[in-house]
Amino acid sequence: MSKREAIFLITIVVVVIGGFYYYMKYVFEPAPKQPADVLVANTDAKPAPKPNNNEWRLPGVLKEISANVFSDNDHMACIQDNDGIIFIYNLQSRRIDGKIPFAGNGDYEGLAKVQNSWYVLRSDGFLFEVQEQSGAKPIVTTYDLPLTVENETEALCYDSANNRLLVGVKEKDLTEKDKKGVYGFDLKTKKMSTDAVFYLESPKKENDKDGKKDRDDDDKGKEKKKKKDRSGIKPSGIAIEPGTGDLYILDGPSSRLITADSKGRIKSNVQLDKHTFPQPEGLCFSPGGDLYISSEGGKNGQGVIVKFKPEVTP
């Protein structure tokens, strides 16, 4: 290499290093740091290459999302089946912005927000009130409802008109065999009445005006299966439509969205797409009145939240 070539090469290197130094010092702006636990929660996120404005694919920690409710216009609070943590998910950045630990492991299924307090329902009938404290651990109060694991409580929502929470049983009702009760938790007395606010019955099939499925006397296996199917609606989520006061109920096992009036009388029944909603678990309305449904990810999928506009058919 000649002396001239060496000088030219050194000049190029100096210019590149100088340009890099200038960019890092005066141009580059690093992203704001997040707490370590939030960073971990976001590491396994798999956002779609072209984000759908009506669909949010969630990080792996929310694969088993079980309930969702708005925290504010841009943030959705979520819980999942296994951990006693409320996750604050940013709908704009599609990332988890914060976490509110409130209890240990458990089967957490319902979530509601009342002013500055969160309420989380566990499937064995325990209700957790979580009050956030600035710079400190939240204050957690636990209520032992007159429900057990046999009832499998999953549906929870805030009924602002009556200053109560609505609590729905998914499996065995307190008194009825063919209906599922929705009960009221009074937010003033902090007690749940064992008298149902209303009962839910399964929507009738088009070919079943009496509410019973056709029986096949020659096939005992099918008869047994049909008896199991007649166990009725299994509410996994409930929400109140702010404009009409109508109830929106998710029947997770059968992937149905059911609407009812304030007395629990069924008005419509919508079959959800299994591809979009492998296992629908939670639903809520935005401050503007839009419906958002969450679903677990299934065997190999991601948890998802979808802004949903049902084509309601009676």
Side-chain angles (χ1 to χ4, degrees):
M1 178 184 297
S2 67
K3 185 177 179 179
R4 179 177 295 179
E5 290 174 334
I7 293 174
F8 177 76
L9 182 59
I10 292 171
T11 303
I12 294 296
V13 171
V14 170
V15 169
V16 170
I17 293 174
F20 179 75
Y21 174 80
Y22 179 85
Y23 172 78
M24 293 300 294
K25 186 172 183 178
Y26 299 105
V27 178
F28 178 71
E29 294 183 1
K33 292 183 178 180
Q34 291 181 302
D37 57 347
V38 174
L39 286 172
V40 171
N42 285 308
T43 53
D44 52 4
K46 299 176 182 178
K50 295 182 179 180
N52 184 336
N53 291 332
N54 293 318
E55 184 176 306
W56 291 261
R57 293 285 167 181
L58 303 174
V61 71
L62 289 173
K63 178 180 179 180
E64 295 187 36
I65 184 172
S66 53
N68 56 289
V69 66
F70 271 86
S71 173
D72 57 44
N73 288 331
D74 296 324
H75 292 86
M76 186 79 76
C78 310
I79 58 171
Q80 48 102 304
D81 280 350
N82 303 311
D83 299 325
I85 300 172
I86 300 171
F87 297 87
I88 307 301
Y89 181 77
N90 190 319
L91 295 171
Q92 301 302 319
S93 67
R94 297 174 178 258
R95 295 175 66 86
I96 293 172
D97 279 355
K99 298 164 67 176
I100 309 170
F102 64 89
N105 294 343
D107 186 17
Y108 301 100
E109 297 289 350
L111 178 64
K113 186 181 183 184
V114 181
Q115 298 177 350
N116 296 322
S117 294
W118 303 98
Y119 287 87
V120 183
L121 181 65
R122 205 166 68 187
S123 63
D124 58 359
F126 281 88
L127 181 68
F128 298 81
E129 180 181 1
V130 183
Q131 296 176 296
E132 291 185 79
Q133 303 294 309
S134 178
K137 292 183 178 180
I139 298 174
V140 181
T141 307
T142 306
Y143 304 98
D144 187 359
L145 306 182
L147 298 162
T148 69
V149 68
E150 289 185 345
N151 306 116
E152 194 170 344
T153 52
E154 293 197 0
L156 179 73
C157 76
Y158 176 40
D159 179 3
S160 60
N162 296 287
N163 193 37
R164 66 188 175 192
L165 299 176
L166 295 181
V167 180
V169 300
K170 183 179 179 183
E171 296 296 339
K172 183 180 179 181
D173 186 65
L174 291 178
T175 58
E176 300 293 324
K177 291 184 178 181
D178 301 321
K179 302 177 184 178
K180 301 293 168 62
V182 175
Y183 298 86
F185 178 84
D186 191 302
L187 289 168
K188 183 178 181 179
T189 64
K190 300 298 176 74
K191 294 184 181 297
M192 190 195 98
S193 172
T194 54
D195 295 325
V197 177
F198 54 83
Y199 289 98
L200 295 170
E201 297 185 65
S202 289
K204 295 178 181 180
K205 305 291 185 182
E206 292 182 1
N207 60 347
D208 181 14
K209 295 182 179 179
D210 297 325
K212 298 180 180 179
K213 293 189 175 183
D214 294 335
R215 301 192 179 192
D216 185 352
D217 296 331
D218 297 327
D219 191 332
K220 300 300 182 182
K222 290 183 179 179
E223 174 66 11
K224 183 177 180 180
K225 184 175 185 290
K226 288 177 181 178
K227 283 184 179 179
K228 183 178 180 181
D229 290 342
R230 285 197 296 274
S231 60
I233 184 174
K234 295 180 183 292
S236 58
I238 188 171
I240 299 175
E241 202 279 320
T244 64
D246 284 346
L247 301 162
Y248 280 63
I249 304 111
L250 270 182
D251 186 339
S254 62
S255 295
R256 292 182 296 169
L257 175 63
I258 297 164
T259 61
D261 64 18
S262 59
K263 302 296 184 182
R265 294 176 293 228
I266 303 298
K267 297 176 67 175
S268 66
N269 175 26
V270 176
Q271 187 66 48
L272 298 175
D273 176 24
K274 272 281 191 180
H275 177 74
T276 304
F277 303 103
Q279 189 174 332
E281 291 281 327
L283 76 168
C284 70
F285 284 93
S286 71
D290 294 315
L291 178 62
Y292 288 72
I293 298 177
S294 64
S295 173
E296 291 190 10
K299 186 176 181 180
N300 298 311
Q302 292 174 260
V304 66
I305 296 173
V306 176
K307 183 179 179 181
F308 186 74
K309 293 184 178 181
E311 294 180 2
V312 177
T313 55

